């Protein structure tokens, strides 16, 4: 069965928590290249959710929360207890922001809270999370130029909170 998103979107993120799909941020602009910078002029802070039934059918989408800022071409990832958002374009600049939202006992996501920032402003990056770390993978300094190969990680539940660059030469030293 086909069910549309509540608004047209691109450059958004999505995660699954239990039997809920969450769609996070993005742009609902009519075109990908909406401004002189080449980035969308309309950027969303909305978070939508739909339940997945046992036979795969989605419920109606509901707006469940808002991000602290609007983001497009950001990265999202999920661990067993939090959802993470990092980087992206906020409607004015490429961002180095990192936020997390705790996963509540019922599977809903809580309020978004700031973590430490990435060492670089990055857009169109990827992210993964484990129980102890959240990683930033690649991305670009601008939307269409300057791709990066850096991997940064943040150790969760530790102080001080700072992203650290992974050095591939050190990682592969014994390979």
């Amino acid at each position: 069965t086909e069910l549309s998103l509540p608004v047209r979107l691109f450059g958004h993120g999505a995660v699954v928590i239990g039997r809920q799909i969450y769609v996070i941020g993005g742009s609902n602009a009519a075109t990908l290249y909406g401004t002189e910078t080449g980035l969308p002029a309309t950027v969303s802070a909305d978070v939508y959710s739909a339940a997945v039934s046992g036979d795969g059918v989605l419920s109606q989408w509901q707006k469940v929360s808002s991000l602290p800022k609007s983001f497009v071409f950001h990265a999202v990832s999920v661990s067993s207890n939090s959802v993470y958002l990092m980087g992206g374009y906020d409607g004015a600049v490429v961002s180095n922001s990192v936020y997390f939202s705790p996963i509540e006992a019922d599977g809903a996501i809580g309020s978004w809270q700031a973590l430490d920032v990435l060492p670089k402003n990055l857009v169109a990056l990827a992210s993964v999370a484990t129980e102890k770390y959240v990683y930033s993978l690649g991305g670009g300094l601008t939307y269409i130029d300057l791709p990066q190969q850096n991997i940064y990680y943040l150790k969760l539940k530790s102080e001080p909170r700072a992203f650290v660059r992974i050095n591939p030469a050190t990682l592969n030293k014994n390979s």
Side-chain angles (χ1 to χ4, degrees):
T1 303
E2 186 176 313
L3 180 67
S4 297
L5 289 168
V7 296
R8 61 182 179 202
L9 283 173
F10 62 88
H12 52 287
V15 296
V16 173
I17 301 169
R19 300 196 103 169
Q20 292 289 127
I21 297 174
Y22 291 90
V23 172
I24 302 167
S27 175
N28 59 7
T31 64
L32 178 60
Y33 305 105
T35 67
E36 291 177 11
T37 64
L39 290 163
T42 306
V43 181
S44 176
D46 294 337
V47 178
Y48 296 98
S49 177
V52 182
S53 70
D55 61 359
V57 175
L58 297 180
S59 68
Q60 291 293 319
W61 290 94
Q62 303 292 321
K63 181 179 172 191
V64 293
S65 69
S66 291
L67 299 167
K69 294 173 71 175
S70 298
F71 288 101
V72 65
F73 302 118
H74 53 285
V76 295
S77 55
V78 65
S79 68
S80 66
N81 56 8
S82 295
V83 177
Y84 301 92
L85 177 145
M86 62 180 65
Y89 175 72
D90 67 9
V93 297
V94 174
S95 175
N96 65 347
S97 297
V98 179
Y99 294 95
F100 82 99
S101 174
I103 299 172
E104 307 293 340
D106 65 357
I109 57 175
S111 297
W112 292 92
Q113 302 166 47
L115 283 174
D116 199 2
V117 297
L118 292 166
K120 293 182 178 181
N121 296 3
L122 293 169
V123 66
L125 66 161
S127 174
V128 293
T130 69
E131 300 314 304
K132 294 184 180 181
Y133 300 92
V134 61
Y135 296 87
S136 160
L137 309 164
L141 299 180
T142 68
Y143 176 63
I144 57 173
D145 292 316
L146 305 172
Q148 303 293 294
Q149 67 185 49
N150 299 335
I151 298 173
Y152 300 101
Y153 73 93
L154 173 67
K155 185 173 184 179
L156 303 170
K157 301 179 185 172
S158 71
E159 295 296 334
R161 290 193 165 157
F163 274 86
V164 177
R165 181 176 175 191
I166 294 176
N167 183 343
T170 303
L171 283 177
N172 298 320
K173 189 164 119 177
N174 297 322
S175 298

